[in-house]
Every structure is written in structure tokens, then in C-alpha cells.
Amino acid sequence: LSCISWSSKGVPNGGMAQFQEEMRQQLETSMHAELEKLLDTATGVDKEVSKKDFDGFKKLFHRFLQVEGPSVDWPKIHRPPEDSIQPYDKIAALPLPDSLADSLNKLVVVKLNGGLGTSMGCKGPKSLISVRNENTFLDLTVQQIEHLNKKYNTDVPLVLMNSFNTDEDTKKILQKYTHHRVKIHTFNQSRYPRINKESLLPVATDIGMTGENADVWYPPGHGDIYASFYNSGLLDQLITEGKEYIFVSNIDNLGATVDLNILHHLVSQPNGKRCEFIMEVTDKTRADVKGGTLIQYDNKLRLLEIAQVPKAHVDEFKSVTKFKIFNTNNLWISLGAIKRLQEQNAMDMEIIVNPKTLDGGQNVIQLETAVGAAIKSFDNALGINVPRSRFLPVKTVSDLLLVMSNLYSLEAGSLTMSQKREFPTTPHVKLGSSFTKVQEYQTRFESIPDMLELDHLTVSGDVTFGKQVSLKGTVIIIANHGDRIDIPAGTILENKIVSGNLRILDH
């Protein structure tokens, strides 16, 4: 067991396995008793929801206790067969039918909306951060789907998977889309108890989420989508409405728009060979070495994450030559297959053990799963190697600078690389700690610089940018501690290193 040091003192030879099994059963019994105590503090609807959540948590905890050592046997890992990862160009070369509306009416767009904007210094849901022309991630998503529905006269709904952290704020905002041509549904991820690392029992003392209990609950990763979607009743409702596939992606990936070529490929397969799961992958660069990759394992396509790799093979996993692609987390999944696998209890996802330290210094673990890890449970799963433009995540303020710049043009909620840029790759941007929070970042740019000819930008220290600055080639700006650099309005910096102290005084 990963978190327990088994002591074999006094255990007779050959009795170790039995001793471990007894320990597991003891831990599981104690966990179930603690969960019952927590449920006793709940009432009404809260109790019903928590009971469903705890049922899922018990299954996860049971599997966690069974796992010993890494979840993959390294010699059994093989490269996926050629035909299991199709190049996007091959799929895009097939002619699209006149009746695209028929395919679109079978589709539901699902956005993973459980995350907060804390890493960018914002309170509330990350999806409500402005990313382009005052539009938030959520605004852009709604615009994209509304454009599709108007253009093809279809009814593609948007579903948001919220967490208990984002649900209330998101629902308030949704009122502003009442008159848009998009039906919007929401459902909530489960709420699981964080586990004391030493005792392997819940830290929570009651079902509440305030005071002492503010940080003892967590949403268990996006792999929870299958159970939560099913439990919410929304899955059945959409199937009844004639929907067949969901397109799932992270709401902060601005490249994850509905792709008509992939959708057509899905719905045009003969019934017996119908693909139940497509994972969009793209070529690795040095920046993506930690991303999950597709492998062939026990004759099935499987997602391999860095957390599952034995320490001795981590460098091999990060190699761009052996594992050439990584998972974008843009997934196309059959609704009927999700329902079948949920009802058969056959959804198999590896457990991610995520260690955390609470504000009071207590060490806890949270058990999570990843949505893409279920690929091996679905029939006829496929990878599609898509262009890099389908993966445009905004995780940091450096990413935000790129998408706000003239590198991209915005049309109907979709960002596309400007045709004026000579290279299809995005510049490498590293903004220092003075830019970490969105509010600080906004005060440091009077306007976003022209970056069409930029390759690399590093900014460190107390630096501000005037209006209409142009950055080209490699630009490095470093203000040492105690110094400040103001880049004057209209400056053109091309292959320059700027350091020291440069104050532009007001006249």
C-alpha cells in the first residue's frame, strides 16, 4: 500500500499476504464507519447527494487499497499500432456530407468547468476570467456553439460539469445567455473527503463546507464525469433527445472547438465498427514532456500518465523520440457506451494519488481519476493526431498574453493564428513573478505588444510596457531587484537584451 508502512514483526512466514488483507479490510471498515458518521450530519437533498457521492468514493477507496506498486508493467508497453492513431489530414480529406445538421444534432458539447482561477490570482471559476476583448472562456464557448446552431439550423446543447467550488457563481452568470441560441445544462462533480495521510480516514468532522471544514473536501478529477453525468439523470435525458456523442474538453483550452471532420468520421462508421471513444493527440514539443501519451497495453489502447511511470523510466517517458504524442484532453465519447459501462460497473480508470498540505499543515491525500484513462474500457477506441492549433490552453498569465495578442484573430468565438505570422508555432513566453496575477499583469501593459514576429520573450522583475510596443525575435528584459524598467510607447525591440534601470519620467 502506497501510504502505509507494513510492519511484519511477529507475522509468521507466509502470513504476510493474509495480514495485509486483514489490514485492508480493517481500514475499509473504519472508512465506511466514518462516512456513515458524516452522513448522519446531513439532511434532506444534501444527504441524498452525499450518499451517491460516498458510494463512488467507497469504490475508489476500495481499489486504492488493492493497488501495490506502479500500475503498469514497463516491458508490456508497446507503441500503438499504426492504424490506431490516424493523422487528422486523412480524416479531413474525406468530403463532408450536405446534411451536416444531422450529425450536429447528435452532438453535445461538454466543458470541464470545475477549476478555480487561483493559479492566475483570481477568485471564482476560471471560466469567468476575461481572455479576449472582454470575453471570458465561457462567453467564447457560448459564441462558438451559437454560431454552429445558427449556421446549420441545429440544436447543439452546452453542458458544463461544475464542481462545488464553481457551481453557484457559474449558475448566476448563465442568466445572461437566456436569449442566446444555445441550451445550457449543468451538473456537478462529486464531492469527496480528503484523507488524512497517516490514518487513511477522512479529515472532515461533518458534511458542512464552512469554518474548519472549508478545505476538507475536493472534486475528484475529471474522470468523475462518467459517474456524475450518469447520476445526474442528464445522460439519460440527452439520449432520449436523440443525442449520441459528447465532445469533452477543458474550458480553458481555446483550441477545443467542434471539428466537423472528426464528428463526421464518428457518425459515418458502420454500426458494428462504431468508434466509442476518440482521443485527440498532438505532437510533443519540449514543453509537453509531462503530458499523458497513448500506448498499446494488453492489446488495448491505453493512456499512460507520468504518475504511473516507474521512477527508473521517467526520462524514457519524457523522451520526444519514443513517445511522440500527448493527450490534449479533447475527447469524443459515445453516450450509449457511457451508460452501458456505468450500468455494468465496467469503467476502468487508474487512480491518481494527489498529496496536499492543508493550511494548518496537515498532510492529506486525495484520490482522483482522469477522463482519458477510461479509453481502454471503450470499443474501437481511436487516437487522432490533430494540428497543434487544437491545443491552446490558458494555464498561466504568459499563455494569456499570447491569446490576447495580434498572434490570433477572433471570429464567432474561435481563435485562429493570424495569417500574417510566418511560422505556425507560438512564441515561447516567460513572464516573471511580478506578472503572476491577472490584475498585476493588466497594470503592466498599457496595450498588448505586437508579437507577430516574436520567437522568445523573457521578462523578469518590475517591468511595464507602454502603448504600441513591438517585440521581434528574441527579447529578454530583466529588471534587477530594486530597479524598474519602463518600455516607452512605440518602442521596437528586436533581438535585444534590456537590463538595469530605465524609468520614463512624465513630462
Side-chain angles (χ1 to χ4, degrees), residues 106-145:
K106 293 173 181 171
L107 183 69
V108 178
V109 174
V110 180
K111 293 286 181 182
L112 303 171
N113 184 45
L116 293 168
T118 42
S119 63
M120 293 166 75
C122 293
K123 288 183 176 175
K126 187 175 181 182
S127 56
L128 306 185
I129 295 174
S130 285
V131 283
R132 182 78 190 219
N133 305 354
E134 303 300 309
N135 287 300
T136 64
F137 291 103
L138 188 53
D139 291 333
L140 295 176
T141 300
V142 171
Q143 287 167 29
Q144 288 162 22
I145 302 172

Side-chain angles (χ1 to χ4, degrees), residues 76-216:
K76 288 168 70 176
I77 288 176
H78 301 287
R79 278 198 184 143
E82 285 296 312
D83 61 345
S84 65
I85 300 179
Q86 300 270 343
Y88 176 79
D89 292 349
K90 184 179 169 187
I91 282 162
L94 299 170
L96 289 171
D98 296 332
S99 57
L100 270 174
D102 293 347
S103 300
L104 280 165
N105 278 326
K106 293 173 181 171
L107 183 69
V108 178
V109 174
V110 180
K111 293 286 181 182
L112 303 171
N113 184 45
L116 293 168
T118 42
S119 63
M120 293 166 75
C122 293
K123 288 183 176 175
K126 187 175 181 182
S127 56
L128 306 185
I129 295 174
S130 285
V131 283
R132 182 78 190 219
N133 305 354
E134 303 300 309
N135 287 300
T136 64
F137 291 103
L138 188 53
D139 291 333
L140 295 176
T141 300
V142 171
Q143 287 167 29
Q144 288 162 22
I145 302 172
E146 183 175 44
H147 173 69
L148 273 180
N149 283 338
K150 284 179 173 173
K151 183 175 178 180
Y152 296 101
N153 192 25
T154 50
D155 178 25
V156 178
L158 169 63
V159 172
L160 300 171
M161 179 168 86
N162 299 334
S163 66
F164 60 81
N165 291 317
T166 62
D167 189 50
E168 197 177 327
D169 290 338
T170 301
K171 279 181 174 165
K172 281 179 192 165
I173 291 289
L174 291 183
Q175 293 168 7
K176 81 180 208 184
Y177 305 117
T178 310
H179 300 296
H180 288 64
R181 191 168 163 177
V182 185
K183 284 183 191 156
I184 304 178
H185 307 276
T186 65
F187 69 94
N188 264 17
Q189 258 176 295
S190 304
R191 174 165 73 112
Y192 284 1
R194 283 180 166 150
I195 305 168
N196 181 315
K197 194 177 177 182
E198 302 305 318
S199 67
L200 291 190
L201 293 173
V203 183
T205 51
D206 63 57
I207 211 80
M209 288 170 55
T210 51
E212 286 179 9
N213 270 353
D215 59 356
V216 298

Side-chain angles (χ1 to χ4, degrees), residues 238-289:
L238 292 166
I239 289 173
T240 305
E241 290 172 11
K243 306 301 180 189
E244 292 182 16
Y245 285 95
I246 52 173
F247 170 49
V248 182
S249 62
N250 298 342
I251 200 155
D252 63 7
N253 177 8
L254 293 176
T257 57
V258 172
D259 186 281
L260 298 173
N261 294 301
I262 296 176
L263 177 62
H264 174 57
H265 180 77
L266 267 175
V267 298
S268 61
Q269 300 294 311
N271 265 345
K273 291 279 185 183
R274 189 62 70 87
C275 178
E276 293 184 341
F277 194 110
I278 283 180
M279 177 181 286
E280 293 185 34
V281 295
T282 195
D283 291 343
K284 255 190 196 182
T285 66
R286 298 271 169 216
D288 313 306
V289 291

Side-chain angles (χ1 to χ4, degrees), residues 302-328:
R302 176 164 167 174
L303 178 65
L304 178 66
E305 300 275 12
I306 194 163
Q308 296 159 250
V309 177
K311 280 200 175 77
H313 295 282
V314 166
D315 287 342
E316 196 180 334
F317 174 81
K318 289 181 177 178
S319 147
V320 179
T321 47
K322 179 161 183 178
F323 299 105
K324 292 178 163 52
I325 48 143
F326 75 99
N327 168 28
T328 63

